[in-house]
Amino acid sequence: MASSEMDRVATQADKTGSLARARVLRSMRWGDVVFESLTRTAAISVLLLLGGIIISLFIGAWPAIKTYGFDFLTTQRWAPSLKPQPILGALGPIYGTLVSSLLAMVIAVPVGLGISIFLTELCPHALRRPISIAIELLAGIPSIIYGMWGFFVLGPFLADHFQPAVIDFFADVPVLNVIFAGPASNLSLFNAALILAIMVLPFITAISRDVFATVPTVLKEAAYGAGCTTWEVVWNVVIPYTRVGVIGGVMLGLGRALGETMAVAFVIGNAFKIKASLFAPATTISAAIASEFAESDGLHQSSLILLGLLLFVLTFMVLTAARIMLMRLERNQGK
Amino acid sequence: MSNPKANPYYAGRKRVNLLAMALCYGATLFGLTWLVMILGTLVSNGLPGLSLDLLTQNTPPPNSEGGGLANAIVGSLMLTFIGVGIGAPIGLLAGTYMAEYGRHSKLTSVIRFINDILLSAPSIIIGLFVYGAVVVPMGGFSGIAGALALAVIVIPVVVRTTEDMLLLVPNPLREAASALGLPRSLVIRRVAYRAAKAGLVTGVLLAVARVSGETAPLLFTVLNNQFWSLDLTGSIANLPVTINNFVNNPDPNWKKLAWSGALLITFAVLSLNIAARVLGSSRNEK
């Protein structure tokens, strides 16, 4: 359409018919107005999308909100088929979501920062791109593949080799022998956290690598010039300078981990009862929705939607915090 | 300068440094190991099942021999194609508004913020949204609902890359075109789009890669279908949900098919990712 308009302008101009030219100009002006309002409508539809998600979740969750109120957040029991009315509480899934995500961050943050330090300070130039692409490919693997792999390969491996060793090791240590209590299990909170850690690793690595690259070379050179070792430069110059950005990246990773569904649903075991041991099965909000929603109805379904609403609010807050921090970093750089 | 070895303080700092750097090497190795292990398992378990049957036969009933994934592959392609077909134009237009017409407006910064939230919103929430907004009013699971769920995921990806790529187009190009008398919409379509073409295509490719492995939003929007069906108003077979169902079943034949399907999906998604990256970087080096 655009090219035909241009051609028309050209041929019409040759003929120098002033009336025709006015007509073409008018049609172009119309095209302008139409195109601008199209783009504006599309842009506003992004806002409407978010509004629609919140409203639709709220409507779906309303029966459960009305029935359970605040008790929903403090009840651990999950009995969807109880008569006359099911007793449903979100404590188990909320606990599982928070603990699995936090544990994932405990594993992924040091590793992600380590990789970024390796990539920015240690890695030979020729290997820098291939290694960062390889790490970023981890983010490209679909989450159901992580779930399947965790279910068939990682879970049995951990249950046979890793978990028994840890359980034995901490058997006589108070507190830790409760957190790492037996029996070893193919499906557990710990497995879910480990899978989540692998999945958020590329996000943390990519962002911390990018913010590490914003440190002015002069600053680092000054520190090296004063005799600092590489580690001292990283610890005393690079990390303090980029702290806000790194925290932003970590929060972004946390936002991902909280909402991750398929990978977790396969390996966590879908147990609503809270156990102290990390090696026991548990469940998360998203895993509960994924495994029960298709066969649910009535109050049960509404409760699952309410779980979804809670998850959305939770990730919304975490992601907002992440964005604000990353924006602050950009402002500091005078962008 | 004194010899570092002579001074215990220097030696201690050096040791700390060495340890920290070794841990950084270790961390990188740790990250790469997972990639190699996952891809290795996929290839070793999925490769034996790759055959022509996989592409020509439909998914088999439980506890039977043979069969393939033809209906699931076609269904997935359809859903992805329609989802991107709906989502990408909206994303492109919205990104255009943010980078061109509304570059400095308050609306743009609000949209950018909301878009970033949508970009990382849990995909299962999108599934719940489409269930409430499309599946319930329409009275049943359908291919359209699934495609719409995917479109909702595509939009923020495309908005983000479109805005970023259009902002990279140098302003003198636009000014030159305007000076020649082109109206604003033609400046954007004929000049800015053309200058940012590789980047825009990259964004769409990334969006395709992102949705082609998505499972959670499809679970309760299209459901799944064991048979060949191209009817968008009913359930359609699709690869991710098929894999999901096959993994949850002890049938060895289904398990074998699930691994082959997983291999197909992963390599399709990873090659799309790499293609997008190559396209994106060739643009930057120019």
Side-chain angles (χ1 to χ4, degrees):
Chain A
M1 182 179 139
S3 78
S4 69
E5 275 170 34
M6 295 259 292
D7 294 344
R8 224 159 58 218
V9 175
T11 50
Q12 296 290 358
D14 288 344
K15 285 178 189 162
T16 61
S18 64
L19 200 71
R21 166 181 280 173
R23 201 182 304 138
V24 170
L25 283 177
R26 200 164 54 239
S27 82
M28 281 167 106
R29 197 167 315 125
W30 267 108
D32 230 20
V33 172
V34 169
F35 189 68
E36 181 175 357
S37 45
L38 260 181
T39 59
R40 181 175 290 122
T41 314
I44 290 172
S45 72
V46 173
L47 294 185
L48 295 182
L49 206 55
L50 185 82
I53 291 174
I54 294 172
I55 293 171
S56 122
L57 286 181
F58 199 79
I59 292 174
W62 183 243
I65 297 175
K66 218 168 49 188
T67 313
Y68 300 115
F70 268 105
D71 288 350
F72 191 69
L73 296 176
T74 53
T75 309
Q76 206 192 121
R77 188 147 176 225
W78 185 266
S81 46
L82 207 68
K83 299 285 180 233
Q85 191 185 27
I87 294 177
L88 299 163
L91 199 59
I94 291 177
Y95 168 85
T97 305
L98 293 179
V99 173
S100 63
S101 298
L102 293 179
L103 191 58
M105 299 320 281
V106 168
I107 302 171
V109 170
V111 175
L113 290 183
I115 297 177
S116 324
I117 295 169
F118 174 81
L119 286 172
T120 50
E121 305 292 331
L122 301 174
C123 183
H125 241 287
L127 284 178
R128 216 168 265 192
R129 248 179 86 75
I131 292 183
S132 13
I133 290 181
I135 296 290
E136 276 165 37
L137 280 187
L138 278 174
I141 298 177
S143 75
I144 187 160
I145 308 298
Y146 279 103
M148 189 175 173
W149 183 76
F151 183 72
F152 284 130
V153 181
L154 186 67
F157 173 82
L158 289 178
D160 292 345
H161 303 285
F162 179 77
Q163 292 181 2
V166 175
I167 292 167
D168 283 349
F169 188 81
F170 289 119
D172 299 324
V173 188
V175 183
L176 286 181
N177 64 0
V178 180
I179 296 178
F180 297 108
S185 158
N186 277 357
L187 307 169
S188 79
L189 193 58
F190 177 82
N191 295 8
L194 184 58
I195 293 264
L196 283 177
I198 303 169
M199 295 183 74
V200 297
L201 191 59
F203 293 97
I204 295 175
T205 307
I207 290 187
S208 46
R209 188 198 58 210
D210 288 352
V211 297
F212 283 177
T214 64
V215 179
T217 322
V218 190
L219 271 186
K220 287 199 276 184
E221 281 168 354
Y224 279 121
C228 286
T229 61
T230 310
W231 171 246
E232 285 163 347
V233 172
V234 169
W235 190 249
N236 299 313
V237 178
V238 175
I239 290 186
Y241 187 88
T242 54
R243 196 177 54 227
V244 185
V246 169
I247 297 175
V250 169
M251 302 283 263
L252 215 59
L254 181 61
R256 288 269 164 174
L258 288 171
E260 182 47 55
T261 308
M262 298 318 293
V264 175
F266 275 116
V267 299
I268 201 161
N270 291 319
F272 283 80
K273 201 164 157 39
I274 298 173
K275 300 247 181 64
S277 173
L278 293 178
F279 293 150
T283 195
T284 66
I285 294 178
S286 49
I289 300 173
S291 56
E292 296 195 0
F293 194 84
E295 286 118 39
S296 67
D297 53 9
L299 212 49
H300 183 199
Q301 186 169 71
S302 176
S303 299
L304 289 170
I305 297 178
L306 180 53
L307 277 179
L309 185 62
L310 290 174
L311 176 65
F312 194 58
V313 172
L314 194 64
T315 48
F316 194 98
M317 289 191 304
V318 170
L319 292 172
T320 304
R323 285 298 160 198
I324 288 173
M325 283 177 172
L326 288 172
M327 275 194 302
R328 221 165 74 191
L329 183 80
E330 277 179 15
R331 237 201 336 270
N332 286 349
Q333 287 172 353
K335 263 188 202 165
Chain B
M1 282 280 163
S2 58
N3 178 7
K5 276 184 185 136
N7 187 326
Y9 178 63
Y10 286 139
R13 283 174 58 198
K14 241 185 133 175
R15 262 202 303 279
V16 169
N17 184 50
L18 215 64
L19 181 71
M21 294 307 119
L23 285 177
C24 290
Y25 272 97
T28 311
L29 217 59
F30 179 83
L32 293 177
T33 310
W34 295 115
L35 183 71
V36 172
M37 283 202 310
I38 293 173
L39 295 184
T41 326
L42 274 178
V43 170
S44 70
N45 285 315
L47 214 52
L50 283 190
S51 65
L52 207 58
D53 282 355
L54 203 67
L55 303 176
T56 56
Q57 308 255 323
N58 284 350
T59 44
N63 305 314
S64 63
E65 286 297 308
L69 296 166
N71 52 344
I73 293 171
V74 171
S76 265
L77 287 176
M78 262 170 68
L79 291 176
T80 307
F81 192 76
I82 299 170
V84 175
I86 299 171
I90 298 178
L92 277 170
L93 287 172
T96 307
Y97 176 81
M98 293 162 70
E100 301 284 345
Y101 290 112
R103 189 179 287 199
H104 305 291
S105 78
K106 196 148 204 150
L107 180 65
T108 296
S109 44
V110 174
I111 295 174
R112 189 180 301 132
F113 185 79
I114 298 297
N115 190 65
D116 280 346
I117 302 274
L118 284 177
L119 193 62
S120 331
S123 58
I124 190 139
I125 301 287
I126 312 283
L128 285 179
F129 162 59
V130 173
Y131 179 84
V134 182
V135 176
V136 173
M138 275 183 52
F141 302 108
S142 68
I144 297 175
L148 284 175
L150 295 184
V152 175
I153 295 170
V154 166
I155 291 173
V157 180
V158 176
V159 168
R160 180 68 184 273
T161 44
T162 305
E163 195 204 356
D164 287 353
M165 291 304 152
L166 285 177
L167 286 178
L168 286 179
V169 175
N171 259 335
L173 273 183
R174 297 191 183 89
E175 286 157 8
S178 294
L180 288 176
L182 275 188
R184 189 84 185 266
S185 63
L186 287 190
V187 173
I188 295 167
R189 281 183 291 171
R190 310 274 305 170
V191 179
Y193 277 178
R194 190 164 291 180
K197 198 164 80 192
L200 301 182
V201 175
T202 305
V204 175
L205 279 183
L206 282 176
V208 175
R210 171 86 195 270
V211 296
S212 38
E214 278 293 350
T215 316
L218 299 180
L219 278 178
F220 29 82
T221 51
V222 265
L223 217 59
N224 197 9
N225 191 336
Q226 206 194 309
F227 307 103
W228 178 270
S229 165
L230 301 177
D231 177 15
L232 276 176
T233 56
S235 299
I236 306 187
N238 61 88
L239 213 41
V241 180
T242 303
I243 293 175
N244 176 58
N245 296 348
F246 281 13
V247 170
N248 282 323
N249 195 289
D251 183 352
N253 186 34
W254 273 15
K255 186 174 160 184
K256 200 182 92 193
L257 283 172
W259 277 116
S260 304
L263 182 69
L264 283 181
I265 273 197
T266 308
F267 277 88
V269 172
L270 292 189
S271 6
L272 276 169
N273 264 312
I274 291 172
R277 211 171 289 273
V278 168
L279 203 65
S281 68
S282 70
R283 207 204 68 85
N284 287 338
E285 277 155 20
K286 251 190 258 170

